[in-house]
Amino acid sequence: MKQHKTEDVRNVAVVSHAGSGKTTFCEAILFNAGGVDRLGKVTDGTSNFDFDPEEVKRAISISTGLFTVEWKKKKITILDTPGDPNFAAEVTAALRAVDIAVLVVDAVDSIKPLTEKVWAGIEAAGLPRVLVVTKMDRERADFGKVINDVKEILKVKPLVLQVPIGREGNFTGVVDLLSMKALLFDGDGRNISKAEIPGDIKEEANSRREVLIEDLAEVDDGLMERYLEGEELGTEDLAHALRRGILNRVFIPVVACSGTANRGVQPILDLITDACPSPADMPPITGVAPSGDEQTRPPSPDGPFCAYIFKTLADPYAGRLSIFRIFSGKLTPDSNFLNSSRSSKERFGQILAMQGKHQKSVESCQAGDIVAVAKLKETLTGDTLCDEKNPMVIQPVALPQAVISFAIEPKAKGDEDKITQSLARLAEEDPTLSVTRDQQTNEFLISGMGQVHIEVTVDKLKRKFGVDVNLKTPKVPYKETIKGKAKVEGKLKKQTGGRGQFAVAWLDLEPLPRGTGFEFVDKIVGGVIPRQYIPAVEKGIAESMSGGSLAGFPVIDVRVTVFDGKYHDVDSSEQAFKIAASKGFKKGVLQANPVLLEPIMNMEVIVPEDCMGDVMGDLNSRRGRISGMDARGSSQVIKAQVPMAEVLKYASDLTSLTSGRGLFSMEFSHYEEVPANISEKIVEASGKRTEEED
């Protein structure tokens, strides 16, 4: 593949809500730029971006697809990102690797709640942006409504560059407001003819051009002065102002197209190459040197090599494929570099350019390029690769936390080890996927961004690694404790004809403050229990605490004092005292007012203001306690403490309450006593479960 100058590179992330026609638009870009011979379609499984079996099956983007094309001697790397919120981390990672964000909005449904979430990600990344209105050939397509919604909902100035020609099925072209020419598309959409502006939209075109020129003049004080003096601004002046305004994020250019009919796509490619920034236009990337000092790397091929891994693909046969953006310097095949995030050296063979599901070998690459290498030993998503003599670590992007967990178990016996190994490989590819083992419930827990995310992971487990699993709602790790005090005798006396078993241990049980744990106190005096048997007493109590007398859950926050006892010179043993202490502890717990404890989670829920009342009411209905509220931009942050048992499936409920606009995170806070009415049900269910197991 041909090497392009950094100034001739354009890296574009195409982002949107699900169902906006984003991938179809990307397919049209490939077709027009000659990257493919026929227009790929999501609906029939021929997409060059959505080629993974799970993507074909569900007809959605799951992973960011990459393809590089050439247009007007410029290299454009397209990153087609998922629109489903289950895979939002892919969007966050992709935005780190590009210089331009193209926001795709459906002309029929306009800006949806999920569009606002995507827009917030673009703004957080600080990227120049372009808005593409797709599906202009559909029934009820309304270009004007989208423009109004951009102003009202996204709170940004839309710079309208085009006026659509024809409505719905009669959409045949656009008026370019800079040249004031009609661009008409026919045949397969690649043939463009220029014509005079149709009379029925001439007035609208003139009106929008006046606004366009005024908005562009505001970019530059000199242009504004000339404009106010009545001087006509030339095409070159307007083009310069457009480019400057996009780079400085003064406005968002708005253009129209139909990806399915392939109409209006070529002018968008012109806009990307002519007016959008190259890597050379962007500010230096910042990082931290080993000394802790901040460093920068200007986007130059002459600087020291520095790159950021934003995506990893894991394959059970081909190995790991690391995809990265080069921010500085050059790279050639068969090179060495330092993974500064892990202080490890890496060596690789070929450099690859991603072309959908295929890769092409490249002879060299440099600042601005997005490429991949295979089989790096220790490198994962979020790592920095750099020149060994000039180490620097780029801060990894903050990926969203997992919001839902399921217990996972193999359908076939003996696959437990295979599950952990396979999930570890998938977690390399997807950092938002986590796998843990709950020590109390002894369950493997798989956590992710939503139910679809988990289901896709399960499908991948079966297809890639041959592991078939079941998903279950995870058990809540309840605990038990005591609220009162008790003095009990733990006694073991057995005579079986030979040597017997004898031990007596008097125990004093009392509660401890929450979170203290277990405390054992030895107050034996006078040798009523020989010193060598005291550890056995403690061990017997500790082992009994793993399954409480109330419902079989672990006992916590208890002080146990052994203060008296008896022994026999022949029949006493460590085992006898261990059993006696265990029996005494279990009896004492039942006498000391045992209660059930449940884990309480700290939650932070971010919602639009219009949803705040519904969300707070829902949290209250889950036995939650609201601890505070803060404004964050146009959203409200609700802080609450809620029992874990009430929020095991909160992700889908919050999506319903907020139309997908809500976000939340949670972490364990502490244990609290379960209300009596709920505790009774849990204890009863525990007893039934024990009977069934017996």
Side-chain angles (χ1 to χ4, degrees):
M1 185 174 281
K2 177 184 172 184
Q3 176 70 61
H4 290 74
K5 295 180 181 178
T6 302
E7 295 80 5
D8 294 335
V9 172
R10 303 289 184 272
N11 295 314
V12 183
V14 182
V15 299
S16 75
H17 55 259
S20 65
K22 166 183 53 60
T23 299
T24 301
F25 166 66
C26 290
E27 293 290 346
I29 287 179
L30 300 192
F31 181 61
N32 283 278
V36 292
D37 297 328
R38 60 190 291 267
L39 200 59
K41 294 182 180 179
V42 175
T43 51
D44 62 10
T46 60
S47 170
N48 295 278
F49 292 96
D50 292 352
F51 51 82
D52 190 272
E54 278 77 37
E55 292 176 315
V56 174
K57 172 184 170 184
R58 298 169 187 270
I60 62 169
S61 298
I62 291 173
S63 177
T64 297
L66 292 87
F67 213 107
T68 298
V69 295
E70 189 174 70
W71 185 258
K72 295 173 73 170
K73 297 184 179 180
K74 303 286 194 299
K75 183 175 82 169
I76 304 177
T77 298
I78 302 292
L79 279 69
D80 175 34
T81 65
D84 190 297
N86 281 268
F87 310 102
E90 290 276 331
V91 182
T92 304
L95 291 174
R96 168 60 68 89
V98 300
D99 312 298
I100 311 148
V102 171
L103 177 64
V104 174
V105 175
D106 183 339
V108 179
D109 293 331
S110 190
I111 293 174
K112 296 181 180 180
L114 285 174
T115 314
E116 297 176 61
K117 189 182 289 188
V118 174
W119 174 254
I122 296 173
E123 292 298 271
L127 289 171
R129 53 271 207 270
V130 171
L131 192 142
V132 173
V133 184
T134 57
K135 301 187 180 181
M136 287 298 302
D137 59 333
R138 298 289 181 87
E139 187 177 344
R140 297 183 295 108
D142 192 335
F143 186 71
K145 183 179 187 308
V146 175
I147 293 169
N148 290 333
D149 286 349
V150 168
K151 287 186 281 190
E152 296 297 321
I153 300 175
L154 300 186
K155 308 297 183 185
V156 63
K157 180 192 289 185
L159 186 80
V160 182
L161 295 178
Q162 298 173 345
V163 173
I165 299 173
R167 292 180 59 83
E168 299 177 346
N170 294 319
F171 172 67
T172 56
V174 295
V175 174
D176 177 8
L177 295 178
L178 286 174
S179 66
M180 287 302 281
K181 288 290 184 182
L183 306 178
L184 303 175
F185 306 92
D186 55 29
D188 62 7
R190 288 190 289 190
N191 299 317
I192 304 178
S193 58
K194 293 185 178 181
E196 294 302 313
I197 301 172
D200 61 332
I201 57 172
K202 184 87 173 178
E203 184 177 342
E204 181 187 359
N206 286 331
S207 174
R208 289 204 181 273
R209 178 174 165 82
E210 287 181 16
V211 175
L212 171 69
I213 293 175
E214 184 175 336
D215 288 343
L216 288 174
E218 290 179 355
V219 172
D220 183 278
D221 291 341
L223 279 183
M224 177 55 76
E225 188 176 335
R226 290 165 56 193
Y227 172 73
L228 293 175
E229 290 175 354
E231 181 181 337
E232 185 173 341
L233 302 180
T235 303
E236 191 173 320
D237 292 325
L238 297 177
H240 174 76
L242 174 61
R243 182 174 174 81
R244 183 173 175 181
I246 291 175
L247 180 61
N248 294 330
R249 305 172 73 248
V250 176
F251 43 62
I252 184 166
V254 182
V255 289
C257 76
S258 165
T260 306
N262 193 28
R263 295 171 187 164
V265 178
Q266 292 187 37
I268 299 172
L269 281 166
D270 291 338
L271 175 66
I272 290 171
T273 54
D274 298 342
C276 289
S278 73
D281 297 313
M282 301 302 286
I285 191 73
T286 60
V288 179
S291 63
D293 296 333
E294 183 177 286
Q295 287 195 349
T296 60
R297 293 282 188 272
S300 167
D302 298 323
F305 174 71
C306 183
Y308 176 79
I309 303 282
F310 69 93
K311 185 173 177 60
T312 302
L313 296 176
D315 188 278
Y317 306 107
R320 188 188 301 156
L321 195 65
S322 302
I323 307 173
F324 54 89
R325 157 72 184 265
I326 302 176
F327 285 100
S328 172
K330 297 178 181 177
L331 194 64
T332 55
D334 299 311
S335 297
N336 298 313
F337 51 66
L338 176 72
N339 180 329
S340 51
S341 302
R342 302 178 188 275
S343 300
S344 61
K345 295 180 181 179
E346 294 276 20
R347 181 175 178 80
F348 64 93
Q350 286 183 314
I351 302 173
L352 306 168
M354 302 300 295
Q355 298 292 79
K357 62 182 174 182
H358 303 292
Q359 300 101 37
K360 286 188 177 180
S361 178
V362 294
E363 294 183 2
S364 64
C365 53
Q366 61 184 23
D369 289 334
I370 294 177
V371 292
V373 296
K375 299 180 180 178
L376 298 182
K377 292 180 180 179
E378 298 183 41
T379 299
L380 298 173
T381 300
D383 288 353
T384 302
L385 309 176
C386 60
D387 178 60
E388 189 176 351
K389 296 179 181 177
N390 295 275
M392 181 182 90
V393 177
I394 299 171
Q395 180 67 30
V397 293
L399 297 177
Q401 293 182 334
V403 298
I404 192 169
S405 297
F406 285 90
I408 187 170
E409 61 181 17
K411 289 185 178 179
K413 289 184 177 180
D415 271 358
E416 285 86 355
D417 291 341
K418 205 171 178 182
I419 281 182
T420 55
Q421 293 169 6
S422 302
L423 285 173
R425 295 291 299 277
L426 291 179
E428 291 176 1
E429 183 177 295
D430 182 357
T432 61
L433 186 70
S434 69
V435 184
T436 56
R437 186 165 198 135
D438 190 305
Q439 296 299 319
Q440 178 179 327
T441 64
N442 206 32
E443 290 180 314
F444 274 114
L445 299 181
I446 179 171
S447 306
M449 300 305 299
Q451 186 152 346
V452 175
H453 184 202
I454 299 298
E455 289 172 356
V456 166
T457 300
V458 168
D459 288 344
K460 284 184 178 180
L461 267 178
K462 185 175 181 179
R463 179 176 58 84
K464 286 189 171 185
F465 301 97
V467 181
D468 214 354
V469 299
N470 292 317
L471 292 176
K472 302 185 301 181
T473 301
K475 299 172 185 175
V476 177
Y478 293 107
K479 308 277 191 187
E480 296 179 24
T481 192
I482 56 174
K483 294 177 71 175
K485 296 182 178 181
K487 281 184 168 61
V488 293
E489 179 189 40
K491 184 175 182 179
L492 178 65
K493 184 177 181 182
K494 284 187 178 181
Q495 195 67 42
T496 56
R499 180 179 174 180
Q501 295 187 65
F502 179 83
V504 175
W506 279 89
L507 307 176
D508 190 352
L509 280 67
E510 57 186 318
L512 289 174
R514 195 71 61 241
T516 306
F518 167 53
E519 185 179 326
F520 177 74
V521 180
D522 173 15
K523 285 191 175 180
I524 294 297
V525 292
V528 292
I529 299 178
R531 305 311 307 167
Q532 68 266 29
Y533 297 145
I534 299 299
V537 172
E538 182 178 2
K539 188 174 182 181
I541 295 168
E543 289 183 0
S544 294
M545 292 181 72
S546 64
S549 304
L550 191 62
F553 297 110
V555 181
I556 60 170
D557 302 337
V558 176
R559 175 187 289 127
V560 181
T561 302
V562 56
F563 64 90
D564 199 358
K566 295 179 182 179
Y567 77 101
H568 188 276
D569 288 334
V570 176
D571 292 344
S572 290
S573 65
E574 288 186 5
Q575 183 68 13
F577 272 99
K578 179 179 169 184
I579 295 172
S582 176
K583 292 173 69 175
F585 178 78
K586 289 178 180 178
K587 183 168 62 172
V589 166
L590 289 174
Q591 295 177 13
N593 190 10
V595 292
L596 207 59
L597 301 175
E598 63 182 342
I600 304 297
M601 311 302 287
N602 282 331
M603 294 189 67
E604 187 174 271
V605 189
I606 305 172
V607 297
E609 193 164 353
D610 60 304
C611 300
M612 189 167 64
D614 291 339
V615 172
M616 289 178 65
D618 178 68
L619 289 172
N620 286 327
S621 73
R622 298 171 187 267
R623 302 188 284 128
R625 295 190 301 269
I626 308 299
S627 57
M629 289 176 289
D630 296 307
R632 186 177 297 175
S634 60
S635 299
Q636 293 291 322
V637 181
I638 303 169
K639 295 180 180 179
Q641 290 192 329
V642 191
M644 177 193 283
E646 303 287 348
V647 287
L648 289 174
K649 296 184 178 179
Y650 186 65
S652 56
D653 296 333
L654 182 64
T655 297
S656 300
L657 282 170
T658 64
S659 299
R661 293 179 289 170
L663 298 169
F664 80 97
S665 61
M666 65 179 175
E667 61 182 7
F668 171 75
S669 173
H670 62 283
Y671 273 87
E672 281 185 9
E673 185 178 342
V674 180
N677 61 323
I678 298 174
S679 178
E680 288 173 8
K681 294 177 182 178
I682 296 170
V683 172
E684 184 182 351
S686 172
K688 288 180 179 177
R689 183 173 62 247
T690 303
E691 290 171 9
E692 290 169 0
E693 289 172 355
D694 290 341

